Amino acid sequence: MSDKFTIGNCLIELHLHLDGSLSIKNARELAKLEGVTLPDSDAELKNRLTVSPGCKDLNEYLTKFDLPCSLLQSAPAIELAMFNLCNELADNGVIYGEIKFAPQQHLQKGLTQEDAIQAAIRGMQKSKLKGSIIVACMRSGQDNHAANFETVRLAKKYLGKGVCATDLAGAEAAFPNEGYAEEFKLARELGVPFTMHSGEALGAQSVAVALDYGASRIGHGVRSLEDPAVIKRLVDNKITLEVCPKSNIDTCIFKDFAEVPLLKFRELGVLVALSSDDDAVSDTNIRLEYENMARALNLTNADIKGFMLNGANAVFADEATKAELRKLIEERQPA
């Protein structure tokens, strides 16, 4: 039986990590550039890039970033990786993408954070994808506050010049939001918009802290349902959740797509946009996320269009860009 829904070529990606989204082809090009030896077998390489079905939690999931990160330690590699990923997204029907990337993760061979950001911007601007870059601060067991402050200051320097926001990524349960208050105080002072990974490995309180800091979007946020007061704040402040179903299944938040509470959030008035998080690590993409959720929840074309429009309205861009994206969705996504 054929599917009863259509996914138009009008996809918006709000939450996608560069290092978690290296295709096999992209990884091989980077390895050649960087002189890194990879397995000859594509199947074996995929196993190195993709999380296993038995993944226990987010901490195990994050180990899959070690190999791709090793391929992204020079400016040419970062530029090429971003260029390739953006073109892959455009070829899959993405009309706007905000790619997350933590510049402090790319300094092993002498780059500065600014070098890394400039390379990422060049890669995106040379591609056929319209979008911008979210430069992420990192949660860390080491004292990396100085590096995070530098990330925020560079986000300000390149705001509107290829960068649209900052973020906080990494092991949420091990390093909760409360440890990063000063970074986001600085972001507020500088006028840098931000999203924060919250309500994934930790509960609704993590989302509450992100809202206290001034986050205008929430990465994941699915555990907001644990606290009605947090739901009310999300609704009252029109905060969009960047929900990434497959990665939430991989990290054992949900057992399958049918458990992902898209319709519950909508019923409560919470704005939700679908994203894919890590195309390679989770073996997914934004189109598959929509298809899998549509099948699991019996979504109609109108439902799908609604989530797409939420994404258009939540991009870190000016109103003219949002209006253009809404127009494309109205034209290309059947109701």
Side-chain angles (χ1 to χ4, degrees), residues 92 257 283-293 295:
N92 197 35
F257 290 101
D283 193 18
T284 190
N285 60 60
I286 185 64
R287 185 173 296 278
L288 282 175
E289 298 285 357
Y290 271 100
E291 290 175 355
N292 286 324
M293 290 308 305
R295 293 187 184 103

Side-chain angles (χ1 to χ4, degrees), residues 247-275:
S247 79
N248 285 173
I249 294 167
D250 290 338
T251 57
C252 302
I253 297 173
F254 306 116
K255 68 178 181 181
D256 56 33
F257 290 101
E259 278 197 350
V260 180
L262 291 187
L263 299 181
K264 180 64 174 176
F265 277 126
R266 188 177 67 181
E267 175 187 329
L268 294 170
V270 178
L271 298 170
V272 170
L274 284 177
S275 289

Side-chain angles (χ1 to χ4, degrees), residues 164-236:
C164 61
T166 189
D167 192 357
L168 180 64
E172 180 189 7
F175 310 108
N177 290 342
E178 286 86 343
Y180 301 90
E182 291 303 312
E183 282 88 332
F184 293 96
K185 177 183 178 184
L186 177 61
R188 292 193 306 274
E189 290 171 351
L190 294 178
V192 176
F194 57 93
T195 178
M196 295 178 72
H197 286 63
S198 306
E200 180 186 17
L202 290 179
Q205 174 59 22
S206 181
V207 178
V209 174
L211 296 176
D212 290 343
Y213 288 172
S216 48
R217 281 190 342 225
I218 299 292
H220 301 292
V222 290
R223 293 181 62 184
S224 303
L225 287 170
E226 295 170 8
D227 187 345
V230 171
I231 292 294
K232 185 175 188 305
R233 292 181 69 183
L234 293 171
V235 173
D236 289 350

Side-chain angles (χ1 to χ4, degrees), residues 76-332:
I78 294 169
E79 180 178 336
L80 177 62
M82 184 66 78
F83 174 81
N84 284 342
L85 174 59
C86 289
N87 283 340
E88 289 165 3
L89 294 174
D91 289 343
N92 197 35
V94 175
I95 56 172
Y96 196 90
E98 293 180 349
I99 311 301
K100 297 176 188 262
F101 134 90
Q104 64 189 264
Q105 298 291 89
H106 305 278
L107 313 183
Q108 296 172 13
K109 295 183 179 178
L111 290 183
T112 65
Q113 287 201 48
E114 187 163 17
D115 292 335
I117 290 170
Q118 289 175 344
I121 291 171
R122 287 195 300 272
M124 177 173 277
Q125 290 182 344
K126 289 177 181 178
S127 79
K128 54 190 174 185
L129 179 73
K130 184 170 183 176
S132 196
I133 293 167
I134 297 174
V135 291
C137 298
M138 290 300 298
R139 299 176 162 100
S140 173
Q142 301 175 343
D143 181 358
N144 69 324
H145 292 289
N148 282 339
F149 293 144
E150 183 180 1
T151 299
V152 174
R153 292 189 180 99
L154 287 168
K156 174 62 175 179
K157 180 174 180 178
Y158 289 93
L159 196 64
K161 303 171 186 176
V163 170
C164 61
T166 189
D167 192 357
L168 180 64
E172 180 189 7
F175 310 108
N177 290 342
E178 286 86 343
Y180 301 90
E182 291 303 312
E183 282 88 332
F184 293 96
K185 177 183 178 184
L186 177 61
R188 292 193 306 274
E189 290 171 351
L190 294 178
V192 176
F194 57 93
T195 178
M196 295 178 72
H197 286 63
S198 306
E200 180 186 17
L202 290 179
Q205 174 59 22
S206 181
V207 178
V209 174
L211 296 176
D212 290 343
Y213 288 172
S216 48
R217 281 190 342 225
I218 299 292
H220 301 292
V222 290
R223 293 181 62 184
S224 303
L225 287 170
E226 295 170 8
D227 187 345
V230 171
I231 292 294
K232 185 175 188 305
R233 292 181 69 183
L234 293 171
V235 173
D236 289 350
N237 292 287
K238 297 181 172 57
I239 303 295
T240 299
L241 303 184
E242 308 156 4
V243 174
C244 308
K246 180 57 165 55
S247 79
N248 285 173
I249 294 167
D250 290 338
T251 57
C252 302
I253 297 173
F254 306 116
K255 68 178 181 181
D256 56 33
F257 290 101
E259 278 197 350
V260 180
L262 291 187
L263 299 181
K264 180 64 174 176
F265 277 126
R266 188 177 67 181
E267 175 187 329
L268 294 170
V270 178
L271 298 170
V272 170
L274 284 177
S275 289
S276 58
D277 202 1
D278 301 291
D279 282 5
V281 178
S282 281
D283 193 18
T284 190
N285 60 60
I286 185 64
R287 185 173 296 278
L288 282 175
E289 298 285 357
Y290 271 100
E291 290 175 355
N292 286 324
M293 290 308 305
R295 293 187 184 103
L297 301 182
N298 294 315
L299 299 181
T300 66
N301 284 335
D303 294 330
I304 292 166
K305 178 178 278 190
F307 293 123
M308 289 177 170
L309 288 170
N310 287 347
N313 289 325
V315 297
F316 289 119
D318 57 28
E319 183 53 41
T321 298
K322 294 179 182 182
E324 178 186 350
L325 296 175
R326 289 193 296 265
K327 181 174 183 290
L328 288 173
I329 291 168
E330 292 291 353
E331 291 172 352
R332 298 182 184 181

Side-chain angles (χ1 to χ4, degrees), residues 6-21:
T6 299
I7 309 295
N9 289 325
C10 50
L11 297 160
I12 291 174
E13 183 63 86
L14 298 181
H15 188 132
L16 184 71
H17 294 270
L18 173 65
D19 49 358
S21 301

